[in-house]
Amino acid sequence: MDEDEAQKQRLKAAVHYTVGRLCQDIAADCEKQITKQTIAAIAETAFRQCDIFAKDLEAFARHAKRHTVTVDDVKLTARRTTALYNYIQQKSEELALNNQELKEKRKKNAAKRKSKDMEAEEENELED
Amino acid sequence: FVAKSLVVFHVHGFSSTVSSDAVILVAELLKVFVEEATRRAVKQADSEDCDTIDIEHFEKILPQLLLDF
Protein backbone atom coordinates (compact mmCIF):
# COMPACT_ATOMS: atom_id res chain seq x y z
CA MET A 1 0.00 0.00 0.00
CA ASP A 2 2.96 2.30 0.57
CA GLU A 3 3.84 2.04 -3.07
CA ASP A 4 0.39 3.28 -4.00
CA GLU A 5 0.79 6.19 -1.65
CA ALA A 6 4.18 7.06 -3.08
CA GLN A 7 2.86 6.93 -6.62
CA LYS A 8 -0.11 9.05 -5.60
CA GLN A 9 2.24 11.67 -4.18
CA ARG A 10 4.27 11.73 -7.37
CA LEU A 11 1.13 12.18 -9.47
CA LYS A 12 -0.11 14.94 -7.20
CA ALA A 13 3.21 16.70 -7.62
CA ALA A 14 3.00 16.37 -11.40
CA VAL A 15 -0.51 17.79 -11.39
CA HIS A 16 0.55 20.63 -9.11
CA TYR A 17 3.35 21.55 -11.48
CA THR A 18 1.18 21.57 -14.59
CA VAL A 19 -1.64 23.39 -12.82
CA GLY A 20 0.83 25.96 -11.56
CA ARG A 21 2.07 26.65 -15.07
CA LEU A 22 -1.46 26.97 -16.47
CA CYS A 23 -2.52 29.30 -13.64
CA GLN A 24 0.52 31.52 -14.03
CA ASP A 25 -0.18 31.86 -17.74
CA ILE A 26 -3.78 32.89 -17.18
CA ALA A 27 -2.95 35.21 -14.28
CA ALA A 28 -0.30 36.91 -16.39
CA ASP A 29 -2.87 37.17 -19.16
CA CYS A 30 -5.28 38.98 -16.84
CA GLU A 31 -2.49 40.98 -15.23
CA LYS A 32 -3.10 39.62 -11.77
CA GLN A 33 -1.00 37.90 -9.16
CA ILE A 34 -1.95 34.50 -7.86
CA THR A 35 -0.98 33.10 -4.48
CA LYS A 36 0.72 29.74 -4.06
CA GLN A 37 -2.05 28.74 -1.72
CA THR A 38 -4.62 29.21 -4.47
CA ILE A 39 -2.60 27.20 -6.96
CA ALA A 40 -2.32 24.39 -4.43
CA ALA A 41 -6.06 24.50 -3.86
CA ILE A 42 -6.79 24.35 -7.59
CA ALA A 43 -4.36 21.46 -8.00
CA GLU A 44 -5.96 19.55 -5.15
CA THR A 45 -9.44 20.13 -6.56
CA ALA A 46 -8.31 19.05 -10.03
CA PHE A 47 -6.84 15.89 -8.58
CA ARG A 48 -10.07 15.06 -6.80
CA GLN A 49 -12.13 15.87 -9.86
CA CYS A 50 -9.94 13.51 -11.82
CA ASP A 51 -10.82 10.82 -9.33
CA ILE A 52 -14.53 11.47 -9.83
CA PHE A 53 -14.15 11.43 -13.62
CA ALA A 54 -12.28 8.16 -13.50
CA LYS A 55 -14.95 6.50 -11.36
CA ASP A 56 -17.64 7.73 -13.76
CA LEU A 57 -15.67 6.53 -16.80
CA GLU A 58 -15.16 3.11 -15.35
CA ALA A 59 -18.86 2.87 -14.47
CA PHE A 60 -19.88 3.87 -18.00
CA ALA A 61 -17.57 1.34 -19.59
CA ARG A 62 -18.82 -1.40 -17.33
CA HIS A 63 -22.40 -0.42 -18.06
CA ALA A 64 -21.73 -0.81 -21.77
CA LYS A 65 -20.24 -4.25 -20.99
CA ARG A 66 -16.82 -3.18 -22.25
CA HIS A 67 -13.38 -3.48 -20.72
CA THR A 68 -11.96 -0.41 -22.42
CA VAL A 69 -12.92 3.17 -21.71
CA THR A 70 -13.66 4.89 -25.00
CA VAL A 71 -14.15 8.40 -26.31
CA ASP A 72 -17.92 8.03 -25.94
CA ASP A 73 -17.52 7.44 -22.22
CA VAL A 74 -15.53 10.65 -21.90
CA LYS A 75 -18.19 12.56 -23.79
CA LEU A 76 -20.82 11.33 -21.36
CA THR A 77 -18.70 12.50 -18.42
CA ALA A 78 -18.72 16.02 -19.87
CA ARG A 79 -22.49 16.21 -20.20
CA ARG A 80 -23.35 18.78 -17.51
CA THR A 81 -22.64 22.04 -19.35
CA THR A 82 -23.67 22.30 -23.00
CA ALA A 83 -20.64 24.39 -23.94
CA LEU A 84 -18.32 21.85 -22.37
CA TYR A 85 -20.03 18.98 -24.16
CA ASN A 86 -19.73 20.76 -27.50
CA TYR A 87 -16.06 21.51 -26.88
CA ILE A 88 -15.27 17.88 -26.10
CA GLN A 89 -17.31 16.82 -29.12
CA GLN A 90 -15.20 19.09 -31.33
CA LYS A 91 -11.96 17.71 -29.94
CA SER A 92 -13.08 14.14 -30.41
CA GLU A 93 -13.90 14.86 -34.04
CA GLU A 94 -10.46 16.39 -34.54
CA LEU A 95 -8.90 13.30 -33.03
CA ALA A 96 -10.93 11.05 -35.30
CA LEU A 97 -9.78 13.06 -38.33
CA ASN A 98 -6.15 12.82 -37.23
CA ASN A 99 -6.46 9.09 -36.79
CA GLN A 100 -7.92 8.75 -40.26
CA GLU A 101 -5.10 10.79 -41.79
CA LEU A 102 -2.54 8.67 -40.01
CA LYS A 103 -4.19 5.48 -41.24
CA GLU A 104 -4.17 6.75 -44.82
CA LYS A 105 -0.54 7.75 -44.56
CA ARG A 106 0.31 4.29 -43.32
CA LYS A 107 -1.63 2.70 -46.15
CA LYS A 108 0.26 4.84 -48.65
CA ASN A 109 3.58 3.96 -47.08
CA ALA A 110 2.68 0.29 -47.06
CA ALA A 111 1.63 0.53 -50.71
CA LYS A 112 4.86 2.31 -51.62
CA ARG A 113 6.89 -0.30 -49.83
CA LYS A 114 4.96 -3.08 -51.55
CA SER A 115 5.58 -1.56 -54.97
CA LYS A 116 9.25 -1.05 -54.11
CA ASP A 117 9.50 -4.64 -52.98
CA MET A 118 7.84 -5.79 -56.15
CA GLU A 119 10.24 -3.70 -58.23
CA ALA A 120 13.15 -5.14 -56.33
CA GLU A 121 11.80 -8.64 -56.92
CA GLU A 122 11.38 -7.95 -60.62
CA GLU A 123 14.93 -6.64 -60.86
CA ASN A 124 16.18 -9.76 -59.11
CA GLU A 125 14.24 -11.92 -61.49
CA LEU A 126 15.64 -10.01 -64.46
CA GLU A 127 19.17 -10.39 -63.15
CA ASP A 128 18.60 -14.08 -62.73
CA PHE B 1 0.95 18.58 -20.53
CA VAL B 2 1.34 15.00 -21.61
CA ALA B 3 2.08 14.51 -17.94
CA LYS B 4 -1.58 15.01 -17.19
CA SER B 5 -2.63 12.22 -19.48
CA LEU B 6 -0.23 9.92 -17.68
CA VAL B 7 -1.79 11.02 -14.42
CA VAL B 8 -5.22 10.01 -15.52
CA PHE B 9 -3.99 6.69 -16.73
CA HIS B 10 -2.14 5.76 -13.57
CA VAL B 11 -4.20 7.13 -10.76
CA HIS B 12 -7.15 5.12 -11.66
CA GLY B 13 -5.82 1.74 -12.58
CA PHE B 14 -9.09 0.10 -11.81
CA SER B 15 -9.83 -3.12 -13.59
CA SER B 16 -10.25 -1.66 -17.07
CA THR B 17 -8.00 -0.13 -19.68
CA VAL B 18 -8.41 3.18 -21.44
CA SER B 19 -8.22 3.87 -25.15
CA SER B 20 -5.47 6.31 -26.12
CA ASP B 21 -7.94 8.75 -27.66
CA ALA B 22 -9.97 8.74 -24.49
CA VAL B 23 -6.86 9.62 -22.49
CA ILE B 24 -6.23 12.63 -24.71
CA LEU B 25 -9.81 13.76 -24.27
CA VAL B 26 -9.72 13.43 -20.50
CA ALA B 27 -6.55 15.48 -20.43
CA GLU B 28 -8.41 18.17 -22.39
CA LEU B 29 -11.28 17.95 -19.95
CA LEU B 30 -9.02 18.48 -16.96
CA LYS B 31 -7.21 21.32 -18.68
CA VAL B 32 -10.55 23.05 -19.27
CA PHE B 33 -11.42 22.44 -15.63
CA VAL B 34 -8.26 24.14 -14.39
CA GLU B 35 -8.54 27.03 -16.85
CA GLU B 36 -12.20 27.58 -15.95
CA ALA B 37 -11.38 27.49 -12.23
CA THR B 38 -8.62 30.06 -12.65
CA ARG B 39 -10.61 32.40 -14.88
CA ARG B 40 -13.61 32.35 -12.57
CA ALA B 41 -11.33 33.09 -9.62
CA VAL B 42 -9.85 35.98 -11.60
CA LYS B 43 -13.33 37.35 -12.26
CA GLN B 44 -14.14 37.08 -8.60
CA ALA B 45 -10.99 38.93 -7.64
CA ASP B 46 -11.88 41.52 -10.27
CA SER B 47 -15.35 42.05 -8.91
CA GLU B 48 -13.83 42.70 -5.49
CA ASP B 49 -11.27 45.10 -6.93
CA CYS B 50 -8.35 42.92 -5.89
CA ASP B 51 -5.04 42.64 -7.69
CA THR B 52 -4.16 39.30 -6.20
CA ILE B 53 -6.11 36.11 -6.57
CA ASP B 54 -6.59 34.94 -3.02
CA ILE B 55 -7.75 31.58 -1.85
CA GLU B 56 -11.00 33.21 -0.74
CA HIS B 57 -11.77 34.09 -4.34
CA PHE B 58 -11.25 30.51 -5.33
CA GLU B 59 -13.42 29.29 -2.45
CA LYS B 60 -16.25 31.53 -3.54
CA ILE B 61 -16.38 30.13 -7.08
CA LEU B 62 -15.76 26.53 -6.06
CA PRO B 63 -19.39 25.41 -5.45
CA GLN B 64 -20.67 26.52 -8.84
CA LEU B 65 -17.58 25.11 -10.53
CA LEU B 66 -18.18 21.68 -9.05
CA LEU B 67 -21.82 21.77 -10.03
CA ASP B 68 -20.94 22.68 -13.59
CA PHE B 69 -18.59 19.76 -13.98
Side-chain angles (χ1 to χ4, degrees), chain A residues 9-37:
Chain A
Q9 290 304 328
R10 264 183 276 140
L11 290 168
K12 267 199 193 180
V15 170
H16 192 273
Y17 176 68
T18 320
V19 167
R21 262 180 35 208
L22 281 172
C23 288
Q24 295 287 10
D25 286 344
I26 297 184
D29 213 16
C30 307
E31 285 163 20
K32 293 218 183 291
Q33 300 276 357
I34 188 162
T35 61
K36 276 197 189 166
Q37 226 188 349

Side-chain angles (χ1 to χ4, degrees), chain A residues 15 27 39 45 51 54 58 69 82 90 94 110:
Chain A
V15 170
I39 295 183
T45 320
D51 198 27
E58 207 215 357
V69 174
T82 337
Q90 235 184 320
E94 278 176 33

Side-chain angles (χ1 to χ4, degrees), chain A residues 29-111:
Chain A
D29 213 16
C30 307
E31 285 163 20
K32 293 218 183 291
Q33 300 276 357
I34 188 162
T35 61
K36 276 197 189 166
Q37 226 188 349
T38 319
I39 295 183
I42 300 186
E44 181 69 28
T45 320
F47 194 75
R48 287 201 205 136
Q49 197 63 28
C50 189
D51 198 27
I52 297 178
F53 282 159
K55 294 208 173 100
D56 283 352
L57 288 174
E58 207 215 357
F60 293 153
R62 205 185 307 143
H63 180 70
K65 303 205 173 100
R66 283 186 260 113
H67 284 301
T68 321
V69 174
T70 64
V71 168
D72 290 328
D73 295 327
V74 182
K75 283 202 262 181
L76 246 181
T77 322
R79 70 194 175 291
R80 293 235 166 84
T81 331
T82 337
L84 182 63
Y85 185 76
N86 292 337
Y87 179 75
I88 296 290
Q89 178 95 343
Q90 235 184 320
K91 289 284 166 182
S92 72
E93 280 164 21
E94 278 176 33
L95 275 176
L97 272 176
N98 277 346
N99 285 347
Q100 250 193 329
E101 285 178 13
L102 277 174
K103 271 191 193 170
E104 284 173 21
K105 272 190 194 171
R106 278 183 213 159
K107 275 191 191 168
K108 280 186 192 169
N109 284 344

Side-chain angles (χ1 to χ4, degrees), chain B:
Chain B
F1 189 61
V2 182
K4 258 202 204 178
S5 56
L6 289 173
V7 167
V8 171
F9 197 95
H10 290 295
V11 179
H12 307 107
F14 296 129
S15 56
S16 41
T17 41
V18 193
S19 83
S20 50
D21 277 351
V23 170
I24 299 178
L25 270 191
V26 177
E28 276 301 321
L29 198 54
L30 284 172
K31 183 172 117 173
V32 169
F33 181 79
V34 172
E35 283 179 351
E36 190 62 25
T38 324
R39 287 197 193 273
R40 287 189 194 183
V42 165
K43 262 200 199 170
Q44 185 64 36
D46 235 352
S47 74
E48 294 176 16
D49 271 328
C50 279
D51 258 344
T52 323
I53 307 174
D54 253 332
I55 191 135
E56 296 162 353
H57 303 138
F58 177 59
E59 282 172 7
K60 286 189 185 164
I61 55 104
L62 191 55
Q64 190 58 44
L65 180 72
L66 292 180
L67 284 171
D68 285 339
F69 274 84

